[in-house]
Amino acid sequence: MTGNDLAEALAAAHGLTKADAKKYVDAVFAAIGDAAAKGEDVSLNGFGKFATKRTPERQGLNPATKEPITIKAANKISFKPAKALKDKLNG
């Protein structure tokens, strides 16, 4: 499912225009992205939790040359599904 598919489903379920539904979908994901960029967790009841994590700088190997390289520290986002979503997926 794409963002456009999600907007179409929202429009159909709530009698919105596709353009308005697309704006709402974009706004929700922008808010999630903004919160993640600030290092905040985003919890959606019955769906799950988006959490950010800082990974430290570490050593790795260049696969082509086998020489050591430094992999920069980075922020990552993860998703942990809620029990209700897990139950829905597993019948």
Side-chain angles (χ1 to χ4, degrees), residues 6-86:
L6 190 56
E8 286 180 21
L10 181 65
H14 296 284
L16 302 169
T17 65
K18 287 181 185 177
D20 283 344
K22 178 74 170 131
K23 287 178 193 175
Y24 296 142
V25 168
D26 290 344
V28 167
F29 286 112
I32 291 170
D34 290 345
K38 293 177 190 173
E40 299 172 2
D41 292 347
V42 178
S43 295
L44 304 171
N45 289 337
F47 187 71
K49 181 178 180 179
F50 294 93
T52 57
K53 180 182 176 184
R54 179 88 176 148
T55 59
E57 185 176 276
R58 63 190 193 278
Q59 290 295 85
L61 289 177
N62 179 330
T65 65
K66 306 294 185 210
E67 291 186 19
I69 59 170
T70 300
I71 301 169
K72 294 189 285 186
N75 291 318
K76 297 186 178 195
I77 190 165
S78 64
F79 176 75
K80 182 178 179 184
K83 183 179 182 324
L85 181 58
K86 286 184 200 177

